[in-house]
Amino acid sequence: MKRFIILILTITILLTGCWDKREINQLAFVQGLGIERGKDDMIHIIVEILKPGLLTAGGGGAGGTGGGSAAGKPYAVFQASGVDFAKAFSNLNNELPRSLFLQYNEIIFLEEKFATSGIYQTLDFMTRNPEFRRTAYILVVTGGSLEELFDLPSSSELERYPYKEVLGIIANQRNTSSSYVCDLNEFIETLEIPQKAPITGRLEIVKKDGKATGLRMVGSAVFNKDKLVGFLEEQDTKAVMVLMNKLKRSTLTLDKGLKGEKAHISLVVTKAHTDIIPKVQDKDISFDIKVNIEAYMNEQETKYDLTEPQNLEKLQLLINDKIKQAINRALFILQKKYNADVVGFINILHQRKPKEWKKVQQDWDKIYPDVKFNVTVKSIVRRTGLSSKPILPR
Amino acid sequence: MPHKAANPEYIRQNYQYMMLSKDLEENIYIFQVLLKESSDVVFREFNIGDKKVKGFLMYIDGMIDKFVIDRNVLRPMMIEARKLDEVTYTKKQFFDYMKDYFITACDVKEKDKIGDILDGILEGDTAVIIDGIDKSMVISTKGWEGRNISESTTESYVRGPKEAFVETLRINTSMLRRRIKHPDFVIENLKIGKYSKTDVSIAYVKSIADDTVVQEVKKRLKKVQIDGVIDSGYLEEFIEDNPFSPFPQIAHSEKPDKVSAEILEGKVAILVDGSPFVLTVPVIFAQFFQAGEDYYERYFLASALRVLRIIAMLTALLFPSIYIAETTFHQEMIPTQLAISVAAQREGVPFPALLEALFMEVTFEILREAGIRLPMQVGQAVSIVGGLVIGQAAVQAGLVSPAMVIVVALTGIASFAIPAFNIAITFRLLRFIIMIAAGTLGFFGIIMVVMMILAHMASLESFGVPYLSPLTPSRAQELSDVLIRVPWWAKILRPRTIQRKNIVRQEDTRG
């Protein structure tokens, strides 16, 4: 009897496993998932599916044959519509000979119109479905349809398929900080903080004579709740990133010389740290923003010797000015134009002054546009590069 | 003859208890009845000196050293004895006189039981019986052809002693004795096997080895009642703690240096005549990853190699399973590029990954087995064919994917990197179980089986020593010889898991 029970147990344990088994060669690797608002308010999804055979069939051979012809593309594009996201997905599955495999998808492309109409249900699907990685980036695509994006011939020809290019561009943002790309996890986390607004990257399809020719990251897209409300330019994005303490490395260009003359001086910001301290007086809420910047010289059009302490000091003052202006501008746009608390001042208030937060948090969207900010910037230029004195042509 | 001994049937049944008689003819008759069917038994009758006293000598050809009999037994008794003056000894005294003054062989025993004499002869001794005396001299003349001490084929070192045990027990014990020259080093003898009467020796250092372990080894060895012991492998199965475990609980080695080092740690060695493999108990799991050479080479290198061996062990055990689990259940764990390339490779393969892996692994095991059993010349042909089959043809035929070839090849090579062959076969076997679990349950299955194996290992004991010690139960101090090998000057204590009574290995001279 005991043996019999052991046998039954063994069988039940061993025979449960195969149900979710799928061989790796029966998968449709999705790399690139786009969501649009289709006709009749339908959700329209578009996926880029890799063809493993073509991708690994030797770089030279495939490159030679795939130099433009559709058959040589190492990926295929499929589309489907549905009343909601799940329906669209199952419709997509109906077209595919292999089962969709989403875990490798690292970017979710949101078409501009769709983003404007709200992406709540998409996020709901993505958080429920175990196949979506929370590390996937969210991008808002402007300047063209997603079909155009996926159909782009690899513009730079450095990568085999457009998705890879976007991934590369995103990775490069770490050095330039010209756009802030948010991943799914952060997006959802931000949404769950009341009154805080998410921000993510904006990908523009570059067009020439009405034909899509390339891709470019331009600044960021600002959301309010789950709806896209507008865009930030590159400079403003950088300023917002400084405020969010997210700036890792960026180029800063001043447009005047040390004595106010017209010239360009470029610096690389290597460190930016911001402290935001909320202040409440009577009913007025204001924030002290203290920014610390570390940078090194990259290039100058003037001929100052920057090893001279006075010159360096002047330069630092110029940097302070420039950054202060940029931050004020960005804050103004966020406050007055979009009324979106991207930096999360409400969050800081919650942490630092919980009592005040309780009073204002319900009406924050009314109070926020009138909040005062007091920005002070302190910058240090650490290095001047290899040269101390500029080359003087004689 | 009215004597009972006249009946051959009676002799055959009762020779164990029969005594020698004074009548030489009768003695000869008895031995001839017992041994006459064997052509290798030599009976030699001769006269002692010129006294016309008859003598009789018996031995088994091939087991003895003829030179010793010629010069130290026959020559003194037949020729030297002629010089004897006319001395009137009683027959009893004559025997002692012969033994004390003439036989110049060094090991001479008096025996009067037929059974004892017969045992001596069968072991390679020579029995001398003199007319009118009911005692015999059993002279040790053992000397048979044996293999010379040569290099080990199963455990080879770059640095360290090259000699290996041979099939002759006494030579083996001498190799140990040469390394441990202390009166406390004991070599006890036992005879096991009803027909084979194999000499088995237990070797240990009395002042280091745990008494309970020594007693336990003797107790277990004495319980063995078998027809014959041909190799130490027989005994290993009889005396191990858990005979149903796939894990070896007794270590064996062909190297005297390794065995003597283990004896000095407090272990007990079991030597079996006819086997060049010496068993040592108790054993711990970590020991199977220690090569003898670790202790002769610089300790940095030895430590690094140990880590490498652990990695090799895990690879040999788990690599194919992880491949199967990842390609059938957990594709998201593979880096994208690799996954795409694996998918592309598997495009034309008709089997699921599990079958593919089993097919390749079984092929590999067949090749390996064939390569070991075949003579060297043919073995090479096998490896060439195998290399082609595995490496090229199977892939081109679309039976397996190239990635699988890499997996199987790496697994195979990794299993060779484990220094102890017996644990390597265990992993070979367990690998298949884990592969099936991985193919049906994915990582869950792998973890389940690995946990079952770990639980089993934790429950194992070898002569009272927990198998996984010093990892669990953990003894922090002894971990110095598990993953790393600390320098010799830092090894102040002997491993306490093995014995406790004499743990100081060396004086701490570091000040």
Side-chain angles (χ1 to χ4, degrees), chain A residues 17 22 24-25 56 104 133, chain B residues 327-328 331-332 334 346 440:
Chain A
R22 46 184 183 178
I24 196 162
N25 47 334
T56 47
Y104 288 138
R133 284 200 168 174
Chain B
T327 53
T328 47
Q331 293 90 352
E332 69 275 7
I334 318 173
R346 284 191 46 81
T440 50

Side-chain angles (χ1 to χ4, degrees), chain A residues 82 207 222 230 280 289 317:
Chain A
K207 280 191 174 168
V222 179
V280 184
I289 298 174
L317 288 178

Side-chain angles (χ1 to χ4, degrees), chain A residues 324-370:
Chain A
K324 192 174 168 180
Q325 273 177 34
I327 288 176
N328 277 330
R329 193 180 116 98
L331 284 172
F332 179 80
I333 295 170
L334 290 180
Q335 269 185 304
K336 312 281 185 190
K337 202 171 164 193
Y338 300 139
N339 190 10
D341 186 3
V342 167
V343 183
F345 291 107
I346 183 72
N347 203 22
I348 293 163
L349 196 69
H350 187 187
Q351 288 162 1
R352 299 281 182 98
K353 296 204 185 295
K355 281 180 194 159
E356 308 299 330
W357 170 78
K358 244 181 196 163
K359 286 178 214 159
V360 297
Q361 62 126 339
Q362 287 299 325
D363 309 317
W364 184 245
D365 46 347
K366 282 174 203 138
I367 297 165
Y368 175 64
D370 299 319

Side-chain angles (χ1 to χ4, degrees), chain A residues 13-25 27 29 31 50-56 98 101 103-104 106 133 161 164, chain B residues 326-329 331-337 339-349 351-354 439-441 444 448:
Chain A
I13 288 171
L14 285 180
L15 295 185
T16 50
C18 307
W19 64 273
D20 63 344
K21 161 180 166 289
R22 46 184 183 178
E23 295 288 334
I24 196 162
N25 47 334
L27 300 176
F29 298 105
Q31 277 215 313
L50 300 181
K51 298 177 183 166
L54 276 178
L55 264 177
T56 47
R98 295 183 177 188
F101 188 76
Q103 272 97 326
Y104 288 138
E106 286 166 76
R133 284 200 168 174
Y161 45 104
K164 266 256 135 152
Chain B
E326 287 198 345
T327 53
T328 47
F329 291 97
Q331 293 90 352
E332 69 275 7
M333 295 185 72
I334 318 173
T336 314
Q337 291 297 310
I340 289 163
S341 133
V342 170
Q345 288 170 22
R346 284 191 46 81
E347 212 106 287
V349 178
F351 309 113
L354 172 64
T440 50
L441 292 160
F444 173 68
M448 205 171 70

